[in-house]
Amino acid sequence: MPIIYFAFVVNAFAVCAPTGALTLDLIGKIDYGAMFPLRIAGATIIPGRMSDSSSHVSSPICVCTDPFPRVGIPVSYFEPSRIIEVVSDAWCFPTFGFGTGYGKIGGGTYGDGQDRQKTFYQAHYLIFPIFALLELLTDFVCLQSTGADYAYVTEVDPLWNSDTLSAFMTPEALLFGNPVANLSCVADSVASILFNPIDPLFWCKGSWGNAYPLTGWTNTKNTVEDAASVAASMIYKLHRQLILWGSWGQAGLCGYYPAPIWRKSAYRLQLVTPIPSFATTIGTSGLMWTPGHNPPFIGDNFGFMLFKKRDCCVL
């Protein structure tokens, strides 16, 4: 009887255990250093520990025409304004610390009867402009000022758990989602560790594997790295569905623009729940940042802060 009772307690804790991520301790969990380098008028004002190879504006002035012609100064940084939840328990929202109680119904699993080498997670895309919520720097025009909200949940998306259906949205997966294309991902894996991921290799997620298909399935390596891989797939999927738009380079100075192919170097991910880690580029090997960040009884439910490259024209 004691053994049976203990097993029951472990399962109770494993289903969507709250993390308290939305409380004030989130302020201390964010890796604010991932926002840098900060560039103003083409000059680096605050350098960052991670290199920034993504497109940026080097000119000292910028010109916007909408709604009327005006001249300003280019500003470039990485904005922490979104959270991606990757959960093994369907309808679990660890950022807000609650779940619906459905547990594993429609949730993640390690493989199936035929394949034990793949892992499946659900994912949620959360609008979370931390500075606006804290009412800090609200007069800075380059920061988003919206409130917190869930913008996308994969539990209601039939494409998320089916590689076949997902292929209708990404027919190029037939060309890039194969072992031959995976060989080129070796270079992307090395680059993501040493510098930044290689943007032309858009079908690669560095050490996290091939980006295709854009579903919740990923090759099983280590639990936290698997979750980060799914978060990266979510980023690319939202770009393909034109939910995420580009905000970098000359084209992003005056507003957002459609970008159906993601730019990996424009994003950084930081694990914030259940145990925060430092921010990394897309595809950085989990050996460098995942050990000790998945304690027992949490239920393999994770929250990642998303840093997005922002080039804007301050008028």
Side-chain angles (χ1 to χ4, degrees), residues 127-184:
I127 299 173
F128 199 88
I130 183 67
F131 294 113
L133 295 175
L134 297 176
E135 297 185 355
L136 296 175
L137 305 176
T138 54
D139 57 342
F140 185 38
V141 296
C142 291
L143 290 175
Q144 293 193 2
S145 58
T146 59
D149 192 12
Y150 278 91
Y152 201 95
V153 293
T154 59
E155 282 87 345
V156 298
D157 183 357
L159 304 180
W160 184 247
N161 60 5
S162 172
D163 293 353
T164 303
L165 293 177
S166 176
F168 287 99
M169 183 180 66
T170 57
E172 73 277 9
L174 298 175
L175 295 176
F176 300 109
N178 59 71
V180 176
N182 288 344
L183 293 177
S184 60

Side-chain angles (χ1 to χ4, degrees), residues 10-315:
V10 170
N11 186 60
F13 276 99
V15 177
C16 200
T19 63
L22 199 61
T23 58
L24 291 178
D25 64 348
L26 181 61
I27 302 174
K29 291 181 178 180
I30 297 176
D31 181 5
Y32 293 99
M35 296 176 57
F36 306 118
L38 170 66
R39 295 187 178 94
I40 299 178
T44 300
I45 305 301
I46 303 177
R49 73 170 189 274
M50 290 185 283
S51 62
D52 177 19
S53 62
S54 61
S55 174
H56 60 269
V57 180
S58 57
S59 62
I61 62 172
C62 50
V63 178
C64 293
T65 59
D66 184 26
F68 53 85
R70 59 206 190 279
V71 179
I73 300 174
V75 174
S76 172
Y77 68 104
F78 285 80
E79 182 181 11
S81 61
R82 299 292 187 268
I83 287 178
I84 296 180
E85 296 176 335
V86 180
V87 298
S88 62
D89 299 314
W91 303 106
C92 173
F93 303 96
T95 300
F96 284 104
F98 74 91
T100 63
Y102 289 109
K104 293 292 181 181
I105 300 176
T109 180
Y110 284 88
D112 51 33
Q114 290 74 37
D115 187 358
R116 288 292 176 182
Q117 301 303 314
K118 299 185 71 176
T119 306
F120 178 75
Y121 288 97
Q122 300 286 0
H124 312 136
Y125 178 65
L126 171 62
I127 299 173
F128 199 88
I130 183 67
F131 294 113
L133 295 175
L134 297 176
E135 297 185 355
L136 296 175
L137 305 176
T138 54
D139 57 342
F140 185 38
V141 296
C142 291
L143 290 175
Q144 293 193 2
S145 58
T146 59
D149 192 12
Y150 278 91
Y152 201 95
V153 293
T154 59
E155 282 87 345
V156 298
D157 183 357
L159 304 180
W160 184 247
N161 60 5
S162 172
D163 293 353
T164 303
L165 293 177
S166 176
F168 287 99
M169 183 180 66
T170 57
E172 73 277 9
L174 298 175
L175 295 176
F176 300 109
N178 59 71
V180 176
N182 288 344
L183 293 177
S184 60
C185 294
V186 175
D188 191 46
S189 176
V190 175
S192 64
I193 297 174
L194 299 179
F195 306 104
N196 266 291
I198 304 173
D199 288 325
L201 302 180
F202 59 87
W203 60 90
C204 298
K205 294 186 291 187
S207 299
W208 304 345
N210 198 301
Y212 295 104
L214 300 183
T215 66
W217 290 99
T218 183
N219 293 326
T220 301
K221 295 180 180 179
N222 111 16
T223 305
V224 185
E225 186 174 342
D226 293 344
S229 177
V230 172
S233 295
M234 184 68 163
I235 296 171
Y236 191 1
K237 174 182 173 68
L238 294 178
H239 268 287
R240 178 51 60 90
Q241 297 179 190
L242 298 181
I243 295 175
L244 266 175
W245 285 31
S247 60
W248 51 82
Q250 190 75 35
L253 286 174
C254 302
Y256 295 92
Y257 58 92
I261 299 296
W262 70 335
R263 180 168 293 181
K264 296 175 291 185
S265 63
Y267 290 99
R268 295 167 178 174
L269 280 174
Q270 182 207 354
L271 179 69
V272 291
T273 62
I275 297 178
S277 180
F278 55 86
T280 66
T281 58
I282 299 294
T284 301
S285 173
L287 295 175
M288 304 178 63
W289 59 276
T290 63
H293 289 81
N294 184 33
F297 314 137
I298 296 298
D300 296 341
N301 301 309
F302 305 95
F304 293 89
M305 176 63 70
L306 181 63
F307 294 80
K308 183 179 182 181
K309 180 67 178 292
R310 184 82 167 95
D311 283 304
C312 66
C313 189
V314 178
L315 306 176

